[in-house]
Amino acid sequence: MCSIFGFCAPSAADTRDRADLMCRRLSHRGPDDSGIFIDDGIALGNNRLSIIDSAAGHQPMEIDGHVIVYNGELYNHGELRHQLMALGRSFRTHCDTETVLQAFMHWGTDCLPRLNGMFAFAIWDRASRQLVLARDRVGIKPLYLAQSGAGFAFASEAKALLPAVGRPEVDWTSIHGYLTFGYIPPLASPFAGITKAPPGHFAVWRANDGARPLHWQRYWRPSFGQGPRERVADVMAETERRIETAVERELMSDVPLGLFLSGGLDSAAIACYATRRGADLQSFSVGFRERSHDESDAARRIASHFGLRHRVLEMTPDLLREGVSGWIGAMDEPFADSTAVPLLLLSRFARQHIKVALTGWGGDEVFAGYPTLRAHQVAGWFRRLPLTIRRDLASRLVAMLPQSDAYLSLRFKASRFLRGPTLRPEEQHFLWMGYFDDCAKARLLRPDILEKVAADTFEPVHAAEDGLSERTLPDRIMALDMDFFLAGNGLFQCDRMTMAASLEARVPLLNQDVLDYVLPLPIDMKMLGGHPKGLLRRILAPHLPADILRRPKKGFAPPSGAFLRGPLKDVLDEVLSRERVEERGLFHYGEVARLKHEHLSRKADHGRELWALFSLAAWYDRHVLNETPVETKMSA
């Protein structure tokens, strides 16, 4: 696990200095080792967090004129190594970096479908003077790009590319999308001139191509709900076998390994199959004082059931403030999901004991776990009612429900359900999951900012829909969730927060063994009995306590609304004060003041929306204005 970076700029005179700067900006991702390779204007670099073959895995690694920098883990590298040795290739290390390079040297880009793991890598062929870039199937490992002059630069985080694009300029179309989605839309970044490599793709750059943009080619495409129908018993047996195989693969490590354990099914499944394979795991969870958000008791129950050594990080006000300060420093994109703060704190806490953490991320996207899938079924009937009833009468009924900071309160769910009554289901889905609609953004953003927005909010959704072959609405929603919410929210924060603590996070439920079988299953098979994640629940029934199986779904979600009324109120007041809001020139202060007043007086719950504005403002101060007043105050 590492960071990678590099650039192709044949006319650059300051190659070494540029590479050293990129290396320093990514050092937190790999504190164990670093290295830089330079070849006539080509620079490749790596910061390494040593997990496999710590002594011999130095990067960049060169074999017969091929040089690789690699970030990730290859879980089937032992099998591939034996295949390659049978084909006549010899190895000098035991690390998976060499396995990836040897596989590429033997099969070229045809090696990519053979790689079972999470990765982003670059391979330079000195003889042909071409560079190959690739990213794993679902985007577990990040890869950012910046085109510049006759070449381009790449890195594991956008902050390392900022020198390549000069003074940071904001991509206001991406920010406009962020305010709806809560994260920067796929393939974009908040910085003009910086993009993300698409998951499941590779690109080839040749030195004589000049300024030609990279052409990305797909090597893997998910397929939802289009497989054959099988007997339930057979599906359960095969799914369980594949989950257990995936967990066994991802237990591969030469360093201490643990588990992030919530009270939910996904991490419980990892605990179950890891202990069945004899793994000696430590487990870690977060405790919140707000009971409706707290899962620590259920996590303790699961840990005790499987005999895990368990530790709980209790979220205190002082610890929360420390986490927010670290979160602001770690993020080079605005990010509206407050889950990232406890995740950073949990990662720092776990890093004192382990170097690798297994997580349950991806289970909702693979096993149809989101309650919005059931909401779409209800919405189909609701859309048959006249628009006036849907919009006016229903809104008045929702207004009669009490305000609450409780997790997924009835008022929260009802108000979400009524969003976007005239939109297509695929668009409405993102308002249910998101933050500000277009009308709210028009009230919020100043006219000169809105003039810089070059595309409709849902244009990335429409572009993704064009490539979908899924026929049913639930399958299409699941495909979009994998492209958007999983990549933009879940995997983004999982990578960024754990690597900020120099901790490797793994996601066994997104292993190729699981994806290839479960994604094509019919939606009613994944939702056995009509329930989200019904298949996984049925599989785990013999292995988990009944009270854990009956628990309603909870996300790893802190009570952000309560935090902003309590321990973070002074920080919110500072970041979104009239003076600071008007200095930035992004928002109408009157709209910001309305949201704050209604939230603090409990007339409405605007916790999510205020957190989104707080994150955007803190990001803008740090990366555009080059100021860090909030971090300085909070750490004082």
Side-chain angles (χ1 to χ4, degrees), residues 184 216 320 392 613:
I184 297 297
W216 291 93
L320 173 66
D392 301 331
L613 299 184

Side-chain angles (χ1 to χ4, degrees), residues 251-278:
L251 289 170
M252 171 189 76
S253 178
D254 293 338
V255 298
L257 182 146
L259 167 67
F260 284 176
L261 187 63
S262 70
L265 293 181
D266 301 329
S267 59
I270 309 301
C272 172
Y273 297 111
T275 53
R276 277 177 55 165
R277 289 296 179 176

Side-chain angles (χ1 to χ4, degrees), residues 306-442:
F306 291 113
L308 305 178
R309 290 169 290 152
H310 189 63
R311 293 181 173 89
V312 179
L313 178 66
E314 297 292 344
M315 191 62 57
T316 65
D318 287 343
L319 188 61
L320 173 66
R321 292 169 67 87
E322 176 189 327
V324 171
S325 176
W327 163 70
I328 293 171
M331 287 297 211
D332 53 12
E333 296 190 12
F335 189 70
D337 190 340
S338 58
T339 301
V341 175
L343 177 59
L344 173 62
L345 291 168
L346 183 63
S347 299
R348 289 175 173 177
F349 178 61
R351 185 64 176 84
Q352 301 171 32
H353 307 278
I354 61 173
K355 208 170 183 178
V356 177
L358 273 65
T359 79
W361 245 293
D364 287 314
E365 287 81 6
V366 173
F367 289 97
Y370 288 121
T372 49
L373 291 170
R374 294 186 70 179
H376 279 292
Q377 295 174 334
V378 177
W381 306 322
F382 189 67
R383 288 189 185 96
R384 298 173 188 171
L385 298 175
L387 180 60
T388 53
I389 294 178
R390 287 186 280 149
R391 185 174 55 198
D392 301 331
L393 177 59
S395 296
R396 287 196 292 271
L397 291 174
V398 168
M400 296 170 63
L401 297 172
Q403 290 291 348
S404 173
D405 289 330
Y407 179 76
L408 289 182
S409 69
L410 178 59
R411 177 162 179 160
F412 175 86
K413 290 187 288 188
S415 62
R416 290 269 146 180
F417 182 78
L418 295 179
R419 285 183 158 200
T422 62
L423 295 177
R424 295 170 49 247
E426 291 86 349
E427 296 171 337
Q428 189 179 34
H429 176 76
F430 287 96
L431 287 186
W432 288 351
M433 301 281 281
Y435 294 76
F436 296 91
D437 62 19
D438 283 351
C439 292
K441 288 187 289 188

Side-chain angles (χ1 to χ4, degrees), residues 112-364:
L112 291 167
R114 302 171 184 260
L115 305 183
N116 183 338
M118 55 180 183
F119 55 82
F121 65 75
I123 296 177
W124 172 244
D125 184 339
R126 302 183 73 169
S128 66
R129 295 190 58 76
Q130 70 177 25
L131 184 80
V132 174
L133 297 167
R135 194 174 179 202
D136 65 59
R137 288 168 176 78
V138 295
I140 303 169
K141 291 292 99 185
L143 186 60
Y144 288 79
L145 307 156
Q147 197 83 18
S148 58
F152 70 95
F154 65 90
S156 296
E157 295 182 15
K159 63 169 68 78
L161 295 177
L162 293 178
V165 297
R167 184 179 182 276
E169 297 289 339
V170 178
D171 183 332
W172 291 109
T173 301
S174 295
I175 297 299
H176 193 254
Y178 157 79
L179 287 169
T180 291
F181 297 113
Y183 48 86
I184 297 297
L187 310 189
S189 92
F191 302 105
I194 297 178
T195 59
K196 299 184 184 87
H201 284 69
F202 72 91
V204 181
W205 181 86
R206 296 174 177 83
N208 60 0
D209 281 352
R212 183 182 305 170
L214 289 170
H215 173 62
W216 291 93
Q217 302 175 60
R218 183 185 289 273
Y219 69 86
W220 183 81
R221 181 189 298 274
S223 174
F224 289 84
Q226 301 182 69
R229 184 169 295 278
E230 305 174 49
R231 293 174 58 247
V232 170
D234 294 339
V235 169
M236 290 176 58
E238 180 62 13
T239 301
E240 182 170 36
R241 185 189 72 80
R242 286 181 177 251
I243 297 173
E244 187 165 7
T245 299
V247 171
E248 181 181 24
R249 287 187 186 277
E250 301 204 15
L251 289 170
M252 171 189 76
S253 178
D254 293 338
V255 298
L257 182 146
L259 167 67
F260 284 176
L261 187 63
S262 70
L265 293 181
D266 301 329
S267 59
I270 309 301
C272 172
Y273 297 111
T275 53
R276 277 177 55 165
R277 289 296 179 176
D280 180 23
L281 286 181
Q282 304 177 62
S283 57
F284 304 85
S285 65
V286 169
F288 296 111
R289 295 178 179 180
E290 293 78 4
R291 299 306 300 169
S292 72
H293 291 259
D294 183 60
E295 292 192 283
S296 59
D297 287 346
R300 288 188 185 94
R301 179 99 163 84
I302 295 169
S304 175
H305 183 75
F306 291 113
L308 305 178
R309 290 169 290 152
H310 189 63
R311 293 181 173 89
V312 179
L313 178 66
E314 297 292 344
M315 191 62 57
T316 65
D318 287 343
L319 188 61
L320 173 66
R321 292 169 67 87
E322 176 189 327
V324 171
S325 176
W327 163 70
I328 293 171
M331 287 297 211
D332 53 12
E333 296 190 12
F335 189 70
D337 190 340
S338 58
T339 301
V341 175
L343 177 59
L344 173 62
L345 291 168
L346 183 63
S347 299
R348 289 175 173 177
F349 178 61
R351 185 64 176 84
Q352 301 171 32
H353 307 278
I354 61 173
K355 208 170 183 178
V356 177
L358 273 65
T359 79
W361 245 293
D364 287 314

